[in-house]
Amino acid sequence: MTLAILSALAEEQHGLVDAMQGMQCLRHAGRDFWLGRLHGHEVVCALSGIGKVAAATTTAALIERFGVRGILFTGVAGGIGAGVNVGDVVIARTFLQHDMDASPIFPRWQLPGYGCSTMACDAAATDRLVQAADSAVRSGIVASYASARVHQGLIASGDQFVSSRQASAQLRADLEAAGHAVLAVEMEGAAVAQTCLDYGTPFAAMRTISDRADDSAHVDFSDFVRTVASRYAQRVVLDFLRQTPAKKQAVC
Ligand code: ADE
């Protein structure tokens, strides 16, 4: 059964697609899906697209059309938790949609029909991802971020690039007041998590921190992705695959 590697950005995907054996590209739902073998696993690589709807469509296509047994996501995020700095890696344990607000009918952030605000990632796959990220960060593959750290916890997703100190401080304060200690913000993960929850598909996600979701969040973004985030993503994905039993069912 096939494992999906979903990337937010093309730069992160290139190296993985280049490393695939027997690679072929299939176009479906207006997207490219790259199929092949990596470290003894049948894999399909795809881009999530930007924003929650695009990411949910790609995820549903991976599950329905390609029958994937699990999804591993890589991308970048804005750090909003205390001590979550540029160059750090955040591994998601849970996701929440920070722009979901059906109050007063439902509590703020609660997903109507699901009875919860946060969605959990697959615990075993996430443990392996933490190990792979720790090893990548300790290896010093990115010399300019020698003191980078790996964090694990809540990532919040929304259809918004958070780019002001005031907006990120407000979001963090609102979430913390409700008991949600948020580490980072991005634009896709909670949509992938919700679609995986619907289908019972295991899911794990890593994000490299590209900015602090403040007024300079957009500066040097593509340079950072090319020189830092894509290196971590490739190393962590390959290490993760190495640790993952190729034939095991259900857990990615
Ligand atoms: N991805 C990377 N940085 C981000 C930010 N500041 N807001 C939302 N998504 C992001």
Side-chain angles (χ1 to χ4, degrees):
M1 283 170 89
T2 306
L3 187 63
I5 301 160
L6 195 51
S7 306
L9 301 157
E11 290 88 339
E12 290 177 304
Q13 200 189 45
H14 287 156
L16 292 170
V17 169
D18 289 347
M20 278 164 108
Q21 293 168 318
M23 183 263 288
Q24 58 165 318
C25 182
L26 279 178
R27 197 148 172 88
H28 176 72
R31 290 145 163 81
D32 287 332
F33 293 87
W34 302 88
L35 292 101
R37 293 186 73 75
L38 264 181
H39 278 298
H41 294 265
E42 278 175 38
V43 297
V44 52
C45 292
L47 295 179
S48 59
I50 295 176
K52 300 202 305 294
V53 175
T57 301
T58 311
T59 305
L62 283 167
I63 297 168
E64 291 275 2
R65 170 73 178 76
F66 298 97
V68 300
R69 66 174 161 119
I71 296 182
L72 174 61
F73 191 102
T74 72
V76 293
I80 67 171
V84 181
N85 296 313
V86 173
D88 289 358
V89 175
V90 173
I91 307 296
R93 285 278 171 196
T94 50
F95 276 101
L96 164 153
Q97 290 183 31
H98 68 72
D99 54 357
M100 172 56 73
D101 188 355
S103 61
I105 303 167
F106 295 94
R108 189 174 174 194
W109 300 303
Q110 189 173 113
L111 297 168
Y114 290 73
C116 62
S117 307
T118 57
M119 295 162 284
C121 298
D122 183 81
T126 300
D127 289 345
R128 288 201 296 279
L129 199 51
V130 170
Q131 277 181 27
D134 268 334
S135 147
V137 166
R138 272 189 278 109
S139 75
I141 46 168
V142 182
S144 41
Y145 292 99
S147 57
R149 293 176 54 200
V150 177
H151 309 264
Q152 27 181 326
L154 173 66
I155 296 182
S157 313
D159 286 321
Q160 183 188 13
F161 188 84
V162 182
S163 58
S164 87
R165 184 199 271 274
Q166 197 193 359
S168 60
Q170 187 69 57
L171 185 57
R172 176 177 158 186
D174 288 350
L175 285 167
E176 283 185 356
H180 300 299
V182 62
L183 297 172
V185 283
E186 38 84 309
M187 301 177 68
E188 297 84 19
V192 180
Q194 188 173 342
T195 310
C196 285
L197 180 63
D198 288 340
Y199 283 94
T201 303
F203 169 55
M206 69 166 277
R207 292 274 182 170
T208 306
I209 299 302
S210 56
D211 60 88
R212 278 287 301 170
D214 57 14
D215 306 72
S216 57
H218 58 289
V219 178
D220 294 336
F221 189 79
S222 31
D223 194 43
F224 180 89
V225 171
R226 198 169 33 80
T227 57
V228 183
S230 60
R231 280 198 214 173
Y232 278 145
Q234 278 166 42
R235 159 104 191 212
V236 171
V237 167
L238 294 177
D239 211 18
F240 176 90
L241 290 177
R242 236 177 264 131
Q243 295 176 45
T244 301
K247 292 278 183 271
K248 198 164 173 189
Q249 302 285 313
V251 174
C252 63

PDB file of all heavy atoms in Angstrom, residues 19-49:
ATOM      1  N   ALA A  19      14.790  11.541  -6.118  1.00  0.00           N
ATOM      2  CA  ALA A  19      15.344  10.328  -5.480  1.00  0.00           C
ATOM      3  C   ALA A  19      14.478   9.085  -5.718  1.00  0.00           C
ATOM      4  O   ALA A  19      14.870   7.971  -5.368  1.00  0.00           O
ATOM      5  CB  ALA A  19      15.491  10.564  -3.977  1.00  0.00           C
ATOM      6  N   MET A  20      13.290   9.258  -6.316  1.00  0.00           N
ATOM      7  CA  MET A  20      12.366   8.127  -6.489  1.00  0.00           C
ATOM      8  C   MET A  20      12.844   7.178  -7.588  1.00  0.00           C
ATOM      9  O   MET A  20      13.404   7.612  -8.589  1.00  0.00           O
ATOM     10  CB  MET A  20      10.977   8.643  -6.896  1.00  0.00           C
ATOM     11  CG  MET A  20      10.134   9.114  -5.761  1.00  0.00           C
ATOM     12  SD  MET A  20       8.780  10.079  -6.413  1.00  0.00           S
ATOM     13  CE  MET A  20       7.447   9.042  -6.196  1.00  0.00           C
ATOM     14  N   GLN A  21      12.551   5.882  -7.386  1.00  0.00           N
ATOM     15  CA  GLN A  21      12.826   4.903  -8.449  1.00  0.00           C
ATOM     16  C   GLN A  21      11.515   4.574  -9.160  1.00  0.00           C
ATOM     17  O   GLN A  21      10.464   4.533  -8.516  1.00  0.00           O
ATOM     18  CB  GLN A  21      13.387   3.624  -7.846  1.00  0.00           C
ATOM     19  CG  GLN A  21      14.759   3.833  -7.247  1.00  0.00           C
ATOM     20  CD  GLN A  21      15.171   2.648  -6.417  1.00  0.00           C
ATOM     21  OE1 GLN A  21      14.375   2.092  -5.678  1.00  0.00           O
ATOM     22  NE2 GLN A  21      16.423   2.254  -6.565  1.00  0.00           N
ATOM     23  N   GLY A  22      11.614   4.335 -10.455  1.00  0.00           N
ATOM     24  CA  GLY A  22      10.426   3.955 -11.243  1.00  0.00           C
ATOM     25  C   GLY A  22       9.366   5.028 -11.228  1.00  0.00           C
ATOM     26  O   GLY A  22       8.167   4.720 -11.202  1.00  0.00           O
ATOM     27  N   MET A  23       9.806   6.275 -11.252  1.00  0.00           N
ATOM     28  CA  MET A  23       8.875   7.394 -11.057  1.00  0.00           C
ATOM     29  C   MET A  23       7.977   7.619 -12.281  1.00  0.00           C
ATOM     30  O   MET A  23       8.420   7.540 -13.407  1.00  0.00           O
ATOM     31  CB  MET A  23       9.726   8.630 -10.762  1.00  0.00           C
ATOM     32  CG  MET A  23       8.949   9.867 -10.455  1.00  0.00           C
ATOM     33  SD  MET A  23       8.782  10.855 -11.895  1.00  0.00           S
ATOM     34  CE  MET A  23      10.441  11.463 -12.061  1.00  0.00           C
ATOM     35  N   GLN A  24       6.700   7.858 -12.017  1.00  0.00           N
ATOM     36  CA  GLN A  24       5.801   8.304 -13.082  1.00  0.00           C
ATOM     37  C   GLN A  24       4.867   9.375 -12.536  1.00  0.00           C
ATOM     38  O   GLN A  24       4.594   9.408 -11.329  1.00  0.00           O
ATOM     39  CB  GLN A  24       5.000   7.131 -13.652  1.00  0.00           C
ATOM     40  CG  GLN A  24       4.164   6.384 -12.636  1.00  0.00           C
ATOM     41  CD  GLN A  24       3.126   5.481 -13.292  1.00  0.00           C
ATOM     42  OE1 GLN A  24       2.475   5.859 -14.250  1.00  0.00           O
ATOM     43  NE2 GLN A  24       2.974   4.280 -12.742  1.00  0.00           N
ATOM     44  N   CYS A  25       4.414  10.256 -13.424  1.00  0.00           N
ATOM     45  CA  CYS A  25       3.551  11.362 -12.994  1.00  0.00           C
ATOM     46  C   CYS A  25       2.143  11.140 -13.525  1.00  0.00           C
ATOM     47  O   CYS A  25       1.956  10.861 -14.707  1.00  0.00           O
ATOM     48  CB  CYS A  25       4.114  12.683 -13.529  1.00  0.00           C
ATOM     49  SG  CYS A  25       3.137  14.101 -13.008  1.00  0.00           S
ATOM     50  N   LEU A  26       1.161  11.249 -12.622  1.00  0.00           N
ATOM     51  CA  LEU A  26      -0.237  11.158 -13.043  1.00  0.00           C
ATOM     52  C   LEU A  26      -0.930  12.468 -12.714  1.00  0.00           C
ATOM     53  O   LEU A  26      -0.716  13.025 -11.631  1.00  0.00           O
ATOM     54  CB  LEU A  26      -0.956  10.048 -12.271  1.00  0.00           C
ATOM     55  CG  LEU A  26      -0.770   8.624 -12.754  1.00  0.00           C
ATOM     56  CD1 LEU A  26      -1.515   7.670 -11.843  1.00  0.00           C
ATOM     57  CD2 LEU A  26      -1.308   8.509 -14.176  1.00  0.00           C
ATOM     58  N   ARG A  27      -1.755  12.953 -13.634  1.00  0.00           N
ATOM     59  CA  ARG A  27      -2.484  14.191 -13.375  1.00  0.00           C
ATOM     60  C   ARG A  27      -3.921  13.846 -13.008  1.00  0.00           C
ATOM     61  O   ARG A  27      -4.578  13.054 -13.694  1.00  0.00           O
ATOM     62  CB  ARG A  27      -2.425  15.070 -14.633  1.00  0.00           C
ATOM     63  CG  ARG A  27      -2.773  16.480 -14.320  1.00  0.00           C
ATOM     64  CD  ARG A  27      -2.064  17.493 -15.172  1.00  0.00           C
ATOM     65  NE  ARG A  27      -2.642  18.805 -14.873  1.00  0.00           N
ATOM     66  CZ  ARG A  27      -2.213  19.582 -13.916  1.00  0.00           C
ATOM     67  NH1 ARG A  27      -1.179  19.240 -13.197  1.00  0.00           N
ATOM     68  NH2 ARG A  27      -2.812  20.734 -13.672  1.00  0.00           N
ATOM     69  N   HIS A  28      -4.374  14.431 -11.904  1.00  0.00           N
ATOM     70  CA  HIS A  28      -5.721  14.122 -11.417  1.00  0.00           C
ATOM     71  C   HIS A  28      -6.210  15.332 -10.619  1.00  0.00           C
ATOM     72  O   HIS A  28      -5.445  15.906  -9.853  1.00  0.00           O
ATOM     73  CB  HIS A  28      -5.660  12.859 -10.532  1.00  0.00           C
ATOM     74  CG  HIS A  28      -6.959  12.496  -9.889  1.00  0.00           C
ATOM     75  ND1 HIS A  28      -8.021  11.971 -10.602  1.00  0.00           N
ATOM     76  CD2 HIS A  28      -7.380  12.585  -8.600  1.00  0.00           C
ATOM     77  CE1 HIS A  28      -9.025  11.757  -9.783  1.00  0.00           C
ATOM     78  NE2 HIS A  28      -8.664  12.122  -8.558  1.00  0.00           N
ATOM     79  N   ALA A  29      -7.468  15.700 -10.802  1.00  0.00           N
ATOM     80  CA  ALA A  29      -8.063  16.829 -10.073  1.00  0.00           C
ATOM     81  C   ALA A  29      -7.215  18.102 -10.218  1.00  0.00           C
ATOM     82  O   ALA A  29      -7.076  18.874  -9.263  1.00  0.00           O
ATOM     83  CB  ALA A  29      -8.257  16.472  -8.593  1.00  0.00           C
ATOM     84  N   GLY A  30      -6.621  18.283 -11.408  1.00  0.00           N
ATOM     85  CA  GLY A  30      -5.839  19.494 -11.665  1.00  0.00           C
ATOM     86  C   GLY A  30      -4.512  19.523 -10.939  1.00  0.00           C
ATOM     87  O   GLY A  30      -3.892  20.583 -10.804  1.00  0.00           O
ATOM     88  N   ARG A  31      -4.059  18.360 -10.468  1.00  0.00           N
ATOM     89  CA  ARG A  31      -2.812  18.291  -9.703  1.00  0.00           C
ATOM     90  C   ARG A  31      -1.919  17.195 -10.271  1.00  0.00           C
ATOM     91  O   ARG A  31      -2.407  16.235 -10.867  1.00  0.00           O
ATOM     92  CB  ARG A  31      -3.109  17.920  -8.236  1.00  0.00           C
ATOM     93  CG  ARG A  31      -3.800  19.007  -7.464  1.00  0.00           C
ATOM     94  CD  ARG A  31      -4.772  18.386  -6.465  1.00  0.00           C
ATOM     95  NE  ARG A  31      -5.160  19.353  -5.444  1.00  0.00           N
ATOM     96  CZ  ARG A  31      -6.096  20.268  -5.625  1.00  0.00           C
ATOM     97  NH1 ARG A  31      -6.731  20.374  -6.796  1.00  0.00           N
ATOM     98  NH2 ARG A  31      -6.415  21.103  -4.642  1.00  0.00           N
ATOM     99  N   ASP A  32      -0.596  17.333 -10.025  1.00  0.00           N
ATOM    100  CA  ASP A  32       0.358  16.293 -10.402  1.00  0.00           C
ATOM    101  C   ASP A  32       0.607  15.385  -9.202  1.00  0.00           C
ATOM    102  O   ASP A  32       0.829  15.870  -8.081  1.00  0.00           O
ATOM    103  CB  ASP A  32       1.698  16.912 -10.832  1.00  0.00           C
ATOM    104  CG  ASP A  32       1.592  17.586 -12.186  1.00  0.00           C
ATOM    105  OD1 ASP A  32       0.744  17.166 -13.009  1.00  0.00           O
ATOM    106  OD2 ASP A  32       2.346  18.551 -12.427  1.00  0.00           O
ATOM    107  N   PHE A  33       0.568  14.077  -9.445  1.00  0.00           N
ATOM    108  CA  PHE A  33       0.882  13.084  -8.403  1.00  0.00           C
ATOM    109  C   PHE A  33       2.052  12.247  -8.925  1.00  0.00           C
ATOM    110  O   PHE A  33       1.962  11.664 -10.013  1.00  0.00           O
ATOM    111  CB  PHE A  33      -0.341  12.205  -8.117  1.00  0.00           C
ATOM    112  CG  PHE A  33      -1.474  12.970  -7.489  1.00  0.00           C
ATOM    113  CD1 PHE A  33      -2.403  13.642  -8.282  1.00  0.00           C
ATOM    114  CD2 PHE A  33      -1.603  13.049  -6.112  1.00  0.00           C
ATOM    115  CE1 PHE A  33      -3.442  14.379  -7.710  1.00  0.00           C
ATOM    116  CE2 PHE A  33      -2.642  13.774  -5.526  1.00  0.00           C
ATOM    117  CZ  PHE A  33      -3.557  14.441  -6.326  1.00  0.00           C
ATOM    118  N   TRP A  34       3.150  12.237  -8.160  1.00  0.00           N
ATOM    119  CA  TRP A  34       4.370  11.547  -8.570  1.00  0.00           C
ATOM    120  C   TRP A  34       4.448  10.223  -7.834  1.00  0.00           C
ATOM    121  O   TRP A  34       4.571  10.193  -6.605  1.00  0.00           O
ATOM    122  CB  TRP A  34       5.597  12.396  -8.239  1.00  0.00           C
ATOM    123  CG  TRP A  34       5.552  13.736  -8.900  1.00  0.00           C
ATOM    124  CD1 TRP A  34       4.982  14.876  -8.428  1.00  0.00           C
ATOM    125  CD2 TRP A  34       6.097  14.070 -10.181  1.00  0.00           C
ATOM    126  NE1 TRP A  34       5.121  15.905  -9.326  1.00  0.00           N
ATOM    127  CE2 TRP A  34       5.814  15.440 -10.417  1.00  0.00           C
ATOM    128  CE3 TRP A  34       6.810  13.345 -11.154  1.00  0.00           C
ATOM    129  CZ2 TRP A  34       6.212  16.087 -11.583  1.00  0.00           C
ATOM    130  CZ3 TRP A  34       7.206  14.006 -12.304  1.00  0.00           C
ATOM    131  CH2 TRP A  34       6.905  15.360 -12.516  1.00  0.00           C
ATOM    132  N   LEU A  35       4.376   9.118  -8.583  1.00  0.00           N
ATOM    133  CA  LEU A  35       4.392   7.786  -7.970  1.00  0.00           C
ATOM    134  C   LEU A  35       5.731   7.105  -8.210  1.00  0.00           C
ATOM    135  O   LEU A  35       6.332   7.291  -9.275  1.00  0.00           O
ATOM    136  CB  LEU A  35       3.291   6.923  -8.592  1.00  0.00           C
ATOM    137  CG  LEU A  35       1.875   7.354  -8.257  1.00  0.00           C
ATOM    138  CD1 LEU A  35       1.268   8.120  -9.411  1.00  0.00           C
ATOM    139  CD2 LEU A  35       1.019   6.156  -7.947  1.00  0.00           C
ATOM    140  N   GLY A  36       6.174   6.316  -7.230  1.00  0.00           N
ATOM    141  CA  GLY A  36       7.434   5.590  -7.384  1.00  0.00           C
ATOM    142  C   GLY A  36       7.804   4.915  -6.085  1.00  0.00           C
ATOM    143  O   GLY A  36       6.948   4.710  -5.210  1.00  0.00           O
ATOM    144  N   ARG A  37       9.088   4.574  -5.942  1.00  0.00           N
ATOM    145  CA  ARG A  37       9.559   3.898  -4.732  1.00  0.00           C
ATOM    146  C   ARG A  37      10.665   4.700  -4.080  1.00  0.00           C
ATOM    147  O   ARG A  37      11.534   5.251  -4.759  1.00  0.00           O
ATOM    148  CB  ARG A  37      10.096   2.501  -5.083  1.00  0.00           C
ATOM    149  CG  ARG A  37       9.015   1.549  -5.575  1.00  0.00           C
ATOM    150  CD  ARG A  37       9.546   0.138  -5.762  1.00  0.00           C
ATOM    151  NE  ARG A  37       9.797  -0.540  -4.490  1.00  0.00           N
ATOM    152  CZ  ARG A  37       8.836  -1.017  -3.711  1.00  0.00           C
ATOM    153  NH1 ARG A  37       7.581  -0.896  -4.049  1.00  0.00           N
ATOM    154  NH2 ARG A  37       9.142  -1.612  -2.587  1.00  0.00           N
ATOM    155  N   LEU A  38      10.610   4.778  -2.763  1.00  0.00           N
ATOM    156  CA  LEU A  38      11.648   5.463  -1.977  1.00  0.00           C
ATOM    157  C   LEU A  38      11.957   4.588  -0.777  1.00  0.00           C
ATOM    158  O   LEU A  38      11.031   4.266  -0.005  1.00  0.00           O
ATOM    159  CB  LEU A  38      11.115   6.805  -1.453  1.00  0.00           C
ATOM    160  CG  LEU A  38      11.393   8.113  -2.210  1.00  0.00           C
ATOM    161  CD1 LEU A  38      10.768   9.281  -1.442  1.00  0.00           C
ATOM    162  CD2 LEU A  38      12.859   8.351  -2.436  1.00  0.00           C
ATOM    163  N   HIS A  39      13.217   4.215  -0.589  1.00  0.00           N
ATOM    164  CA  HIS A  39      13.616   3.381   0.551  1.00  0.00           C
ATOM    165  C   HIS A  39      12.719   2.174   0.732  1.00  0.00           C
ATOM    166  O   HIS A  39      12.293   1.853   1.851  1.00  0.00           O
ATOM    167  CB  HIS A  39      13.602   4.207   1.842  1.00  0.00           C
ATOM    168  CG  HIS A  39      14.846   5.009   2.013  1.00  0.00           C
ATOM    169  ND1 HIS A  39      16.084   4.448   2.136  1.00  0.00           N
ATOM    170  CD2 HIS A  39      15.023   6.331   2.052  1.00  0.00           C
ATOM    171  CE1 HIS A  39      16.980   5.392   2.238  1.00  0.00           C
ATOM    172  NE2 HIS A  39      16.369   6.563   2.187  1.00  0.00           N
ATOM    173  N   GLY A  40      12.370   1.507  -0.360  1.00  0.00           N
ATOM    174  CA  GLY A  40      11.576   0.278  -0.266  1.00  0.00           C
ATOM    175  C   GLY A  40      10.089   0.507  -0.069  1.00  0.00           C
ATOM    176  O   GLY A  40       9.328  -0.451   0.064  1.00  0.00           O
ATOM    177  N   HIS A  41       9.645   1.764  -0.047  1.00  0.00           N
ATOM    178  CA  HIS A  41       8.219   2.057   0.109  1.00  0.00           C
ATOM    179  C   HIS A  41       7.628   2.500  -1.226  1.00  0.00           C
ATOM    180  O   HIS A  41       8.269   3.259  -1.962  1.00  0.00           O
ATOM    181  CB  HIS A  41       8.002   3.229   1.091  1.00  0.00           C
ATOM    182  CG  HIS A  41       8.398   2.914   2.487  1.00  0.00           C
ATOM    183  ND1 HIS A  41       7.509   2.469   3.438  1.00  0.00           N
ATOM    184  CD2 HIS A  41       9.596   2.982   3.099  1.00  0.00           C
ATOM    185  CE1 HIS A  41       8.147   2.272   4.576  1.00  0.00           C
ATOM    186  NE2 HIS A  41       9.421   2.582   4.398  1.00  0.00           N
ATOM    187  N   GLU A  42       6.399   2.061  -1.483  1.00  0.00           N
ATOM    188  CA  GLU A  42       5.652   2.672  -2.582  1.00  0.00           C
ATOM    189  C   GLU A  42       5.167   4.011  -2.067  1.00  0.00           C
ATOM    190  O   GLU A  42       4.512   4.071  -1.008  1.00  0.00           O
ATOM    191  CB  GLU A  42       4.426   1.829  -2.921  1.00  0.00           C
ATOM    192  CG  GLU A  42       4.719   0.666  -3.820  1.00  0.00           C
ATOM    193  CD  GLU A  42       3.480  -0.190  -4.008  1.00  0.00           C
ATOM    194  OE1 GLU A  42       2.375   0.360  -4.105  1.00  0.00           O
ATOM    195  OE2 GLU A  42       3.660  -1.413  -4.030  1.00  0.00           O
ATOM    196  N   VAL A  43       5.501   5.099  -2.793  1.00  0.00           N
ATOM    197  CA  VAL A  43       5.088   6.426  -2.321  1.00  0.00           C
ATOM    198  C   VAL A  43       4.424   7.213  -3.448  1.00  0.00           C
ATOM    199  O   VAL A  43       4.642   6.938  -4.628  1.00  0.00           O
ATOM    200  CB  VAL A  43       6.282   7.259  -1.770  1.00  0.00           C
ATOM    201  CG1 VAL A  43       6.912   6.598  -0.562  1.00  0.00           C
ATOM    202  CG2 VAL A  43       7.319   7.525  -2.827  1.00  0.00           C
ATOM    203  N   VAL A  44       3.615   8.172  -3.037  1.00  0.00           N
ATOM    204  CA  VAL A  44       3.107   9.162  -3.985  1.00  0.00           C
ATOM    205  C   VAL A  44       3.373  10.539  -3.378  1.00  0.00           C
ATOM    206  O   VAL A  44       3.046  10.788  -2.219  1.00  0.00           O
ATOM    207  CB  VAL A  44       1.612   8.924  -4.332  1.00  0.00           C
ATOM    208  CG1 VAL A  44       0.741   8.812  -3.112  1.00  0.00           C
ATOM    209  CG2 VAL A  44       1.074  10.021  -5.251  1.00  0.00           C
ATOM    210  N   CYS A  45       4.049  11.392  -4.159  1.00  0.00           N
ATOM    211  CA  CYS A  45       4.350  12.749  -3.700  1.00  0.00           C
ATOM    212  C   CYS A  45       3.392  13.722  -4.385  1.00  0.00           C
ATOM    213  O   CYS A  45       3.124  13.598  -5.582  1.00  0.00           O
ATOM    214  CB  CYS A  45       5.778  13.161  -4.086  1.00  0.00           C
ATOM    215  SG  CYS A  45       7.057  12.256  -3.209  1.00  0.00           S
ATOM    216  N   ALA A  46       2.899  14.699  -3.623  1.00  0.00           N
ATOM    217  CA  ALA A  46       2.000  15.692  -4.205  1.00  0.00           C
ATOM    218  C   ALA A  46       2.169  17.010  -3.470  1.00  0.00           C
ATOM    219  O   ALA A  46       2.674  17.043  -2.341  1.00  0.00           O
ATOM    220  CB  ALA A  46       0.549  15.217  -4.090  1.00  0.00           C
ATOM    221  N   LEU A  47       1.734  18.074  -4.129  1.00  0.00           N
ATOM    222  CA  LEU A  47       1.696  19.383  -3.463  1.00  0.00           C
ATOM    223  C   LEU A  47       0.303  19.579  -2.900  1.00  0.00           C
ATOM    224  O   LEU A  47      -0.692  19.288  -3.569  1.00  0.00           O
ATOM    225  CB  LEU A  47       2.026  20.502  -4.459  1.00  0.00           C
ATOM    226  CG  LEU A  47       3.446  20.494  -5.025  1.00  0.00           C
ATOM    227  CD1 LEU A  47       3.625  21.645  -6.011  1.00  0.00           C
ATOM    228  CD2 LEU A  47       4.468  20.601  -3.896  1.00  0.00           C
ATOM    229  N   SER A  48       0.240  20.108  -1.674  1.00  0.00           N
ATOM    230  CA  SER A  48      -1.067  20.282  -1.035  1.00  0.00           C
ATOM    231  C   SER A  48      -1.879  21.376  -1.716  1.00  0.00           C
ATOM    232  O   SER A  48      -3.099  21.347  -1.702  1.00  0.00           O
ATOM    233  CB  SER A  48      -0.888  20.647   0.440  1.00  0.00           C
ATOM    234  OG  SER A  48      -0.142  21.849   0.570  1.00  0.00           O
ATOM    235  N   GLY A  49      -1.183  22.350  -2.355  1.00  0.00           N
ATOM    236  CA  GLY A  49      -1.853  23.597  -2.711  1.00  0.00           C
ATOM    237  C   GLY A  49      -1.859  24.477  -1.480  1.00  0.00           C
ATOM    238  O   GLY A  49      -1.540  24.019  -0.370  1.00  0.00           O
TER     239      GLY A  49
END
